Amino acid sequence: WISELSGEVFSEVVKLEGSKKNRLSCLVDEHDGWYITNYEAWRSIGPALRDFDWNVVILDESDMIKNPRAKVTKFFVDYFRFVDHRFILTGTPDPEDDLNFFSQLKFSDETIFSERNIHQFIHNWCDTIGYDTVIRPKYRDEFRKRIATGSYFIKRSDVNLGGEQIISKRFLRLDAKHQKMYATLESAFILESKED
């Protein structure tokens, strides 16, 4: 991120890292560039992040806000919805199921779904089958169409990274004690440990 953003029009990139005092001292109105931080920053300097006058907010690995009930999700979805330019980036937007899209899309464009929260969305769009909540079959195409609105899908070949998949095997030698535990586990499906 730092090398990419340094080549842009705004060349100054400030990392909000370290102690709360250090992060707050770096967050100044006169800065005319980019700030980079991690998701945990909201815990230490949340009010300052919330009240700062942002022009753009980009969430990389946006599946961090996939759970609508999580505090981190509520923070970003609730407090940044008035920022003019909001973007999400991720390689795995729905690691478990389609409902993971809801909060990410509410962050990036709250007009994609008219429902205010996940409970309304589930009531209007989903069925419960056993312990699973799934999009109703009659809404699947519409759901996918709304996800595609304003979304861009990029493959490795689109950015000249090549399509070659690299597989690397790593071998780890266990000590005698752990080799014996592993052999017992593999043959008898019993895990015994005499750790204190």
Side-chain angles (χ1 to χ4, degrees), residues 33-180:
W34 294 95
Y35 287 106
I36 293 180
T37 191
N38 56 16
Y39 282 98
E40 286 70 32
W42 76 273
R43 291 181 190 274
S44 62
I45 60 169
L49 289 175
R50 178 191 65 215
D51 298 334
F52 195 78
D53 187 22
W54 297 104
N55 183 36
V56 177
V57 175
I58 302 170
L59 299 184
D60 195 5
E61 300 304 336
S62 65
D63 60 319
M64 284 293 294
I65 64 164
K66 69 183 179 194
N67 181 352
R69 294 167 186 90
K71 289 180 182 179
V72 66
T73 302
K74 290 177 182 178
F75 177 81
F76 283 101
V77 171
D78 292 344
Y79 294 123
F80 292 92
R81 70 175 175 255
F82 299 113
V83 174
D84 289 337
H85 308 285
R86 299 178 311 277
F87 302 95
I88 59 173
L89 304 170
T90 186
T92 55
D94 61 340
E96 284 90 25
D97 64 45
D98 286 336
L99 294 180
N100 290 323
F101 281 111
F102 182 79
S103 294
Q104 295 174 77
L105 293 174
K106 281 306 254 187
F107 171 82
S108 64
D109 181 0
E110 62 182 5
T111 64
I112 289 177
F113 298 111
S114 61
E115 291 77 14
R116 289 188 326 245
N117 57 52
I118 192 68
H119 306 293
Q120 286 182 348
F121 179 79
I122 289 172
H123 175 75
N124 293 342
W125 288 73
C126 301
D127 287 324
T128 302
I129 301 170
Y131 294 106
D132 296 325
T133 302
V134 297
I135 305 294
R136 290 186 185 116
K138 66 181 181 179
Y139 294 140
R140 282 192 190 131
D141 288 341
E142 178 63 22
F143 180 74
R144 290 289 168 188
K145 188 189 311 179
R146 291 193 190 190
I147 290 171
T149 302
S151 298
Y152 301 94
F153 302 92
I154 299 174
K155 297 179 279 193
R156 293 174 59 86
S157 58
D158 294 334
V159 290
N160 297 324
L161 286 177
E164 181 182 347
Q165 183 179 13
I166 300 170
I167 299 173
S168 176
K169 290 185 180 180
R170 310 245 179 211
F171 296 96
L172 179 67
R173 185 172 298 279
L174 299 174
D175 58 36
K177 175 182 158 187
H178 289 100
Q179 281 181 0
K180 183 177 179 186

